[in-house]
């Protein structure tokens, strides 16, 4: 059978379960396509082809024994900031270029337990700081729809690999939009779950109170399938919530009649591309056709402080989280000196890239004596206000809909020297992390030949309603079936 | 406001008052480390064997709170009369150093687990309250071992076993006014921790550490002159000596018109001096902020009351009970209850002695036991550097020895010799007595022979005795004891002498 790599999880599972194809065949097809297109897309940091075929063979045995879960034998890719035992985990940084974790992240454990087939680790912006994957210390990933454009970031490698059918699905992490924005740019589905829904154990920390792992998939059904597998309480992550995990696929009823859909006016921002606006307007009409009640008067007034608050909170936490990289214990280590302090300073000077150092300095400054109240504390207050905005909006709405990003994918190099322009790419996604609520980006058309992402926002632990709305829209539109011609 | 200085008009010398506050860090006796499940029992294990990704601070790991450590801290706080807030939180304290695995320490900053307590010390017969500012929980750091190659190049090794050990910090108010008060505070605090079973309180092994803040000011003045923090003190005695040194040094600086620099000084035990380590101008900015990986702690009033109700008897209560129940002197009761193992040992002895025969008066027995424990036993323990729990002599050994004395088998003077032998060999008193033929001679006939010989050899003493000199009797008894090599029963000897000399 040809083109197995183009399958979704649920399609692949149906064939595997009925033994119409084997996991080894499926994995070979995925690897073959990956090898054909990744020289152009450059989504993968490291291939794990050998172990992938071993896992596939093991998965086939499990299937033969009738012990197949929906992810068994299905190839996938992991962002390179999730620890994989025995497999280099670089975080897109020279600092961890040769770091081989002695343990698996919680999500990796769960996937391995389900006999998933890991085919590669995905490229990313260094320490997940960036919106274009240009901040990877190693190479830039290209957008499969237009190779001279960025795939978004920081999970650009994960999103591009799914869009290019180099994998059936991928995992990303999202601190301010790092799953949703690249999913939007690459025309795939990307979910940031509620903070506390998925364990962060083994996810190399960027901003601990904002980071969350989530799926990047070819459709909403797959998104629900992967969330089923990775969600849940983990005693090693005290911020996970001991709530049961429902079967999210059962929420996908296609029926959204009477669903209250809010369109917060602050998210139809200035500087939004006309093509993006057009796609959003069309989506709103589609919702009305599906019987949803659209409310265009919803307001989240403190959204305008979101970007500023985010760039205090995230760098502050990052400044502490990245303090451990001092060249003493693991990773890059500058040794050409006899002074301990110089060795530590030079390690960080040469081991980190410019954006990482910028954020460490921002955060260090914001937490310093005399500045703490004006910056960090103030930003925490804004965080409370933003959260209250969402709580209030959800009094009258079941889900909110916004563009994922004000623009479609931009050209490689276009914003690389302008950090603030780059930060603005996440202006619609980062308030969702600040509030801790779930958000999903799904394909909603094209502008200038590039995908437009539509973001759905749900209540805390309201993933079921969120995915139901996204799924109903997806099933009524053709966007998720479209594939890039990579050239 | 103008500050008044008390000046001795005649000498022109300013009277100073010393102000001391102490910061104690105590490792907790939990089974596992503070934020991971590694064993906390790392003493004398090879370096880097009690480690995991969490306490090594590897990328991607997260901490989890050790419940037992939280309980221990609440117990301590309640024993120190602190109040427990409804909510507390952990914070990150940021500073770079190779012994700090994450580049920050998870500690507590503005919402600690307890505040506003006190501890009572006895100073020269009067009780004094020393305020406790706070008791909070944090983690210990790794151990750096500094080495030199044969070529003379220095390098350091990191042992991560200690990293992530639960560490309880107890901060006092600056309420102590002398090195002796500071010493008494530490002794009392350590005994409370030992009574609670939360810490070994061992300063030499580093599981109980103390930093001191000391400043002096003209008596009656409220202003603080330059505050000096003293570190590197590895025993109670070192704390006392360092503070005594520092008190004197600061007086001399002020008396010669100098200014006290606010700084950190290290105690150099061999030289008996403190030396400047770093001045506060270069003090770290720790950039504390709330630990996002750990949820805030909530303490329900029910939980606090449950912990309070389950607290074991504390030194003060035991002290009161020893004084009222066993009629011990306050001084003896204080010494016995300073150390929980010693107090426990004492009570075990008293309990056993109560069941054995002989002396019926429990107060008398308690007094005898106390005298032995605080006298010869303590002396032997100290000189051999042995902990009482690890001693060869168990409570029943001691009580058996008393029994032999009570029954007249062993003489009081010989008991000391027997005890020393018991201490070094672990043998019972009866075994030592039998082996060395030390059974007391109470037989009048046998003793009369010795007495006759002594009377024959001591004409002068006999004359003195007959002339009414009571001291001569004591001398004569002593001579008999000597002649019998300590085995004679002094009471019987006394009776024989008095009878023979037609006594008074």
């Amino acid at each position: 059978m040809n083109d197995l790599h183009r399958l979704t999880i649920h399609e692949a599972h149906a064939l595997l379960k009925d033994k119409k194809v084997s996991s080894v065949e499926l994995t070979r097809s995925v690897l073959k396509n990956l090898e054909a297109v990744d020289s152009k897309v450059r989504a993968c940091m490291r291939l794990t082809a050998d172990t992938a075929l071993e896992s596939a063979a093991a998965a086939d045995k499990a299937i033969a024994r009738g012990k197949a879960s929906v992810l068994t034998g299905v190839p996938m890719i992991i962002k390179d900031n999730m620890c994989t035992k025995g497999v280099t985990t670089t975080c897109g940084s020279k600092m961890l270029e040769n770091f081989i974790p002695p343990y698996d992240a919680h999500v990796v454990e769960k996937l391995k337990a389900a006999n998933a087939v890991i085919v590669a680790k995905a490229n990313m912006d260094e320490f997940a700081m960036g919106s274009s994957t240009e901040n990877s210390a190693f190479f830039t990933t290209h957008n499969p729809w237009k190779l001279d454009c960025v795939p978004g970031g920081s999970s650009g490698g994960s999103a591009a690999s799914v869009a290019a059918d180099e994998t059936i699905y991928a995992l990303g992490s999202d601190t301010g939009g790092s799953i949703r924005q690249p999913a939007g740019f690459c025309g795939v589905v990307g979910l940031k779950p509620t903070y506390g829904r998925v364990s962060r154990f083994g996810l190399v920390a960027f901003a601990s109170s904002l980071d969350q792992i989530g799926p990047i998939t070819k459709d909403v059904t797959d998104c629900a399938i992967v969330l089923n597998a990775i969600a849940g309480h983990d005693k090693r992550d005290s911020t996970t919530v001991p709530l049961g995990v429902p079967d999210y696929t059962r929420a996908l009823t296609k029926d959204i009649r009477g669903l209250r859909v809010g369109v917060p006016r602050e998210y139809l921002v200035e500087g939004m591309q006309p093509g993006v606006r057009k796609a959003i307007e069309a989506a709103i009409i589609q919702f009305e056709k599906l019987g949803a009640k659209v409310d265009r008067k919803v307001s989240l007034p403190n959204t305008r402080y979101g970007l500023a608050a985010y760039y205090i909170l995230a760098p502050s936490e990052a400044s502490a989280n990245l303090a451990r990289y001092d060249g003493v214990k693991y990773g890059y280590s500058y040794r050409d000196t006899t002074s301990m302090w110089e060795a530590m300073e030079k390690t960080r000077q040469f081991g980190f890239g410019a954006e990482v150092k910028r954020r460490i300095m921002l955060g260090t400054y914001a937490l310093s004596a005399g500045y703490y109240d004006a910056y960090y504390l103030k930003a925490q207050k804004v965080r409370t206000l933003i959260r209250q905005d969402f709580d209030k909006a959800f009094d009258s709405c079941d889900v909110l809909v916004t563009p994922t990003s004000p623009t479609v994918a931009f050209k490689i190099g276009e914003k690389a020297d302008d950090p603030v322009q780059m930060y603005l790419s996440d202006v619609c996604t980062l308030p969702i992390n600040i509030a801790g609520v779930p958000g999903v980006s799904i394909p909603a058309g094209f502008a200038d030949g590039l995908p437009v992402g539509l973001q759905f926002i749900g209540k805390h632990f309201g993933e079921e309603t969120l995915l139901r709305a996204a799924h109903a829209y997806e099933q009524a539109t053709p966007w998720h079936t479209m594939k890039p011609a990579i050239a | 406001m103008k500050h008044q200085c008390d000046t001795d008009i005649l000498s022109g010398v300013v009277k100073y008052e010393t102000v001391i506050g102490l910061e104690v860090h105590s490792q907790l006796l939990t089974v596992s480390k503070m934020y991971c499940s590694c064993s906390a029992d790392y003493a004398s294990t090879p370096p880097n064997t009690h480690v995991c990704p969490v306490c090594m601070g590897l990328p991607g790991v997260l901490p989890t709170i050790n419940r037992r450590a939280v309980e221990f801290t609440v117990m301590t706080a309640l024993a120190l009369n602190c109040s427990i807030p409804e909510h507390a939180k952990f914070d990150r304290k940021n500073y770079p150093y190779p012994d700090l695995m994450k580049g920050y320490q998870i500690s507590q900053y503005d919402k600690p687990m307890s505040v506003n307590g006190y501890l009572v010390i006895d100073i020269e017969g009067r009780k004094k309250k020393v305020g406790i500012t706070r008791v909070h929980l944090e983690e210990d750091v790794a151990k750096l071992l500094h080495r030199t190659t044969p070529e003379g190049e220095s390098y350091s090794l990191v042992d991560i076993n200690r990293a992530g050990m639960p560490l309880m910090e107890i901060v006092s108010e600056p309420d102590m006014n002398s090195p002796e008060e500071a010493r008494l505070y530490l002794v009392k605090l350590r005994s409370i921790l030992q009574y609670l079973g939360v810490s070994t309180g061992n300063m030499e092994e580093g599981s109980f550490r103390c930093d001191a803040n000391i400043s002096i000011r003209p008596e009656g003045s409220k202003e603080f002159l330059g505050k000096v923090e003293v570190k590197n003190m590895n025993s109670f005695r070192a704390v006392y000596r360092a503070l005594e040194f520092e008190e004197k040094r600061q007086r001399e600086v002020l008396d010669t018109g100098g200014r006290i620099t606010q700084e950190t000084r290290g105690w150099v035990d061999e030289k008996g001096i403190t030396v400047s380590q770093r001045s506060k101008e270069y003090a770290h900015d720790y950039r504390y902020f709330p630990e996002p990986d750990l949820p805030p702690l909530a303490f329900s009033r029910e939980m606090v009351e449950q912990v309070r109700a389950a607290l074991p008897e504390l030194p003060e209560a035991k002290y009161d009970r020893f004084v009222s129940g066993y009629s011990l002197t306050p001084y003896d009761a204080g010494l016995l209850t300073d150390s929980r193992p010693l107090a426990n040992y004492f009570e075990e002895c008293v309990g056993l002695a109560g069941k054995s025969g002989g002396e019926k008066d429990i107060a008398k027995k308690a007094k005898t036991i106390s005298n032995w424990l605080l006298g010869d036993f303590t002396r032997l323990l100290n000189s051999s550097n042995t902990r009482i729990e690890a001693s060869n002599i168990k409570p029943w050994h001691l009580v058996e020895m008393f029994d032999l004395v009570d029954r007249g088998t062993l003489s009081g003077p010989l008991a000391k010799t027997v005890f020393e032998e018991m201490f070094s060999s672990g043998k019972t008193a009866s075994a030592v007595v039998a082996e060395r033929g030390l059974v007391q001679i109470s037989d009048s006939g046998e003793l009369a022979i010795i007495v006759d010989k002594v009377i024959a050899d001591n004409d002068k003493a006999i004359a003195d005795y007959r002339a009414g000199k009571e001291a001569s009797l004591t001398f004569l008894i002593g001579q008999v004891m000597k002649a019998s090599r300590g085995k004679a029963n002094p009471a019987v000897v006394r009776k024989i002498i008095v009878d023979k000399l037609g006594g008074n």
Side-chain angles (χ1 to χ4, degrees), chain A residues 103 200 202 321 324 329-330 369, chain B residues 57-60 92 101 285 293:
Chain A
Y103 75 103
R200 292 179 293 116
N321 282 330
R324 68 191 65 191
K329 290 113 24 188
Y330 45 77
Chain B
L58 291 188
R92 291 187 183 176
M101 306 319 286
D285 174 1
D293 287 331

Side-chain angles (χ1 to χ4, degrees), chain A residues 83 96 99 102-103 195 200-205 208-209 235-239 316-317 320-321 323-325 328-330 340-341 344 364 367-369 372 376, chain B residues 53-54 56-65 89 92 94 96-98 100-104 153 158 160 284-295:
Chain A
C83 287
L96 293 177
F99 174 65
Y103 75 103
Y195 186 79
R200 292 179 293 116
F201 190 83
L203 169 70
V204 180
S208 313
S209 74
K235 62 179 174 24
R236 294 169 300 181
D237 178 356
S238 307
T239 63
S316 292
E317 293 181 17
N321 282 330
R324 68 191 65 191
Y325 308 110
V328 175
K329 290 113 24 188
Y330 45 77
M340 176 190 92
W341 291 110
M344 285 164 69
T364 304
L367 291 172
S368 296
Y372 182 87
Y376 185 84
Chain B
V54 175
M56 289 166 83
L58 291 188
V61 297
L62 298 170
T64 46
I65 300 168
K89 68 176 170 71
R92 291 187 183 176
N94 297 286
Y97 210 69
L100 190 58
M101 306 319 286
K102 301 184 292 297
Y104 58 84
E153 211 180 332
V158 187
I160 305 173
H284 287 298
D285 174 1
Y286 291 120
R287 305 190 310 280
Y288 282 100
F289 75 98
E291 169 56 89
D293 287 331
L294 294 173

Side-chain angles (χ1 to χ4, degrees), chain B residues 256-365:
Chain B
T256 52
R259 212 171 55 86
I260 306 292
T261 322
Q262 185 164 331
E263 62 180 346
T264 299
R265 298 178 70 87
W267 170 246
V268 186
D269 204 67
E270 313 84 76
K271 294 184 185 161
I273 57 166
T274 66
V275 293
S276 184
Q277 288 189 323
R278 64 160 194 256
S279 86
K280 283 276 177 185
E281 279 92 298
Y282 301 103
H284 287 298
D285 174 1
Y286 291 120
R287 305 190 310 280
Y288 282 100
F289 75 98
E291 169 56 89
D293 287 331
L294 294 173
L297 294 166
F299 299 107
S300 71
R301 295 306 94 182
E302 292 88 330
M303 180 262 192
V304 171
E305 289 318 311
Q306 270 171 23
V307 175
R308 197 194 303 276
L311 285 181
E313 185 184 41
L314 293 170
E316 229 145 298
K318 211 181 260 293
Y319 168 92
D320 289 343
R321 199 160 51 75
F322 280 12
V323 171
S324 61
Y326 303 130
S327 311
L328 293 181
T329 64
Y331 180 77
D332 286 355
L335 288 177
L336 285 173
T337 54
D338 272 349
S339 145
R340 190 189 186 187
L342 182 61
N344 284 352
Y345 196 101
F346 169 79
E347 288 215 272
E348 255 187 82
C349 289
V350 172
L352 288 169
K355 283 180 214 140
S356 76
E359 178 61 61
K360 288 281 171 264
D361 183 353
I362 198 71
K364 240 175 163 176
K365 277 187 169 169

Side-chain angles (χ1 to χ4, degrees), chain B residues 115-160:
Chain B
V115 292
N116 281 337
Y118 64 86
L119 173 158
V120 180
I121 55 172
D122 289 286
I123 175 88
E124 286 155 10
R126 126 192 106 78
K127 288 194 188 299
K128 175 170 176 172
K129 262 190 192 181
V130 178
I132 304 285
T133 316
R134 59 192 281 161
V135 181
H136 79 240
L137 199 47
E138 57 187 35
E139 60 180 325
D140 211 341
V141 297
K143 204 171 197 165
L144 295 184
L145 306 157
H146 302 291
R147 297 275 187 272
T148 310
T149 62
E151 290 76 36
E153 211 180 332
S154 64
Y155 63 101
S156 301
L157 299 170
V158 187
D159 177 5
I160 305 173

Side-chain angles (χ1 to χ4, degrees), chain A residues 28-308:
Chain A
R28 284 223 169 94
S29 171
V30 163
L31 286 171
K32 195 175 157 211
N33 185 57
L34 190 156
E35 276 153 27
V37 301
D38 201 54
S39 56
K40 294 170 188 158
V41 177
R42 308 215 65 193
C44 297
M45 188 73 86
R46 177 174 306 270
L47 273 182
T48 50
D50 293 349
T51 50
L53 287 167
E54 282 169 26
S55 309
D60 282 332
K61 278 184 193 151
I63 294 166
R65 287 199 308 269
K67 293 207 166 169
S69 79
V70 65
L71 294 180
T72 302
V74 179
M76 58 89 55
I77 282 179
I78 297 173
K79 186 178 182 180
D80 211 20
N81 60 350
M82 290 167 226
C83 287
T84 41
K85 189 174 179 175
V87 177
T88 313
T89 299
T90 68
C91 248
S93 180
K94 190 179 171 187
M95 191 64 94
L96 293 177
E97 189 170 1
N98 298 310
F99 174 65
I100 300 173
Y103 75 103
D104 275 326
H106 178 80
V107 290
V108 175
E109 276 179 0
K110 284 204 151 189
L111 291 170
K112 283 185 176 173
N115 271 305
V117 176
I118 301 165
V119 294
K121 298 291 294 282
N123 194 24
M124 57 182 286
D125 285 300
E126 184 177 8
F127 284 102
M129 297 177 187
S131 311
S132 68
T133 321
E134 290 165 292
N135 292 338
S136 166
F138 305 105
F139 50 86
T140 297
T141 299
H142 300 255
N143 192 312
W145 292 89
K146 265 191 190 174
L147 292 173
D148 59 347
C149 286
V150 302
S154 65
S155 310
S158 298
S161 69
V162 174
D165 290 321
E166 295 181 23
T167 176
I168 307 298
Y169 68 101
L171 288 186
S173 71
D174 189 318
T175 307
S178 279
I179 287 174
R180 292 157 290 157
Q181 184 257 21
F185 277 16
C186 293
V188 293
V189 176
L191 169 72
K192 182 207 85 79
T194 307
Y195 186 79
R197 181 75 288 196
V198 178
S199 170
R200 292 179 293 116
F201 190 83
L203 169 70
V204 180
F206 159 17
S208 313
S209 74
L210 302 161
D211 295 342
Q212 193 66 192
I213 292 170
I216 297 179
T217 56
K218 296 176 186 176
D219 66 16
V220 175
T221 304
D222 278 8
C223 183
I225 288 169
V226 178
L227 184 61
N228 280 348
I230 62 173
H233 182 242
D234 173 16
K235 62 179 174 24
R236 294 169 300 181
D237 178 356
S238 307
T239 63
T240 55
V241 176
L243 275 177
V245 181
D247 179 354
Y248 291 105
T249 61
R250 300 188 64 167
L252 311 180
T253 61
K254 297 184 195 171
D255 181 3
I256 58 164
R257 280 171 298 174
L259 190 79
R260 299 171 301 171
V261 177
V263 185
R265 54 175 186 256
E266 291 84 1
Y267 284 71
L268 301 174
V269 290
E270 259 177 73
M272 194 159 87
Q273 266 178 7
V276 172
R277 182 179 294 272
K278 243 174 82 184
I280 302 306
E281 294 295 343
I284 291 167
I285 292 165
Q286 186 64 56
F287 280 121
E288 284 168 338
K289 274 193 199 160
L290 290 167
K293 285 187 205 155
V294 176
D295 176 359
R296 305 193 60 155
K297 293 201 183 69
V298 179
S299 174
L300 299 165
N302 291 296
T303 290
R304 60 191 161 130
Y305 305 118
L307 191 79

